[in-house]
Amino acid sequence: MPGDFADVHAFASDPVVCLHQAWGPNTVEDTHEFLDDAVAVVDGRYQLAILSGGVVVGSAAVWTTSTVHGTGELGFTLHRDFWGRGYGTLVAQELVRLGFHRLGLERVAATCRPENIGSARVLEKSGFRREGHLRDAVVIRGIRQDSLVFGQRAADYPGPLSP
Ligand SMILES: CC(C)(COP(=O)(O)OP(=O)(O)OC[C@H]1O[C@@H](n2cnc3c(N)ncnc32)[C@H](O)[C@@H]1OP(=O)(O)O)[C@@H](O)C(=O)NCCC(=O)NCCS
């Protein structure tokens, strides 16, 4: 929501939070643009705000990448002060549930830089398998870098597949 600007900008403008991400650190304009998009209703997407004590401390999303193939992708970001409390794992697990139960996806993917140990661990704890190591796959602030690909199939999802 527009009223969440200060909370969102606090983590989205933090260079440490953005270190392994292709976006950021956000300018004020970047965060306004992000919030405009985040509140839009987009078919095949859940965009979530992560709240702690009424404060927005992160954002997360799962979205459809192909309706033909039944595939989607997810991503998550937390304010640095809230790392190491298990929030990332809880959020990723909820995104997976939404992807399979609500969006009806057959497969969900996620990517992270090889150096992003925390993100890779969160994905593994959320049922993802590491499926590949793509060389020179992304450009982050002008530097070409590798990317890990993780995937999870609805067929392997342990929970019931009804909402
Ligand atoms: C990645 C991120 C979401 C992790 O969230 P988190 O809430 O700290 O993760 P959790 O507390 O659920 O930790 C899950 C596991 O990862 C480990 N972990 C988390 N961050 C770690 C780090 N920087 N280095 C090593 N291990 C780490 C935890 O120890 C825990 O492992 P364990 O259960 O085996 O003890 C958070 O660091 C973040 O927002 N980073 C910046 C944005 C980002 O990189 N997003 C992902 C883009 S691909």
Side-chain angles (χ1 to χ4, degrees), residues 99-163:
F100 290 146
H101 285 189
R102 298 291 180 88
L103 298 180
L105 300 173
E106 293 296 333
R107 175 189 155 80
V108 179
T111 61
C112 74
R113 307 297 83 72
E115 298 77 17
N116 198 344
I117 308 294
S119 181
R121 181 77 186 122
V122 162
L123 292 169
E124 282 166 358
K125 288 186 73 177
S126 306
F128 284 87
R129 275 196 206 176
R130 184 175 144 173
E131 296 178 332
H133 183 133
L134 309 183
R135 294 172 301 158
D136 283 354
V138 291
V139 177
I140 298 184
R141 285 170 285 282
I143 299 171
R144 187 159 285 283
Q145 300 197 30
D146 294 1
S147 182
L148 301 182
V149 179
F150 290 79
Q152 182 167 176
R153 306 186 310 171
D156 299 326
Y157 188 63
L161 276 177
S162 56

Side-chain angles (χ1 to χ4, degrees), residues 11 16-21 23 50 57-59 74-80 82-91 110-113 115-123 125-126:
F11 64 81
V16 176
V17 168
C18 304
L19 184 65
H20 300 300
Q21 317 240 37
W23 57 267
I50 303 162
V57 298
S59 72
L74 60 75
F76 39 77
T77 299
L78 281 171
H79 190 296
R80 208 186 334 165
F82 294 82
W83 293 0
R85 301 184 187 190
Y87 287 10
T89 304
L90 278 177
V91 167
T111 61
C112 74
R113 307 297 83 72
E115 298 77 17
N116 198 344
I117 308 294
S119 181
R121 181 77 186 122
V122 162
L123 292 169
K125 288 186 73 177
S126 306

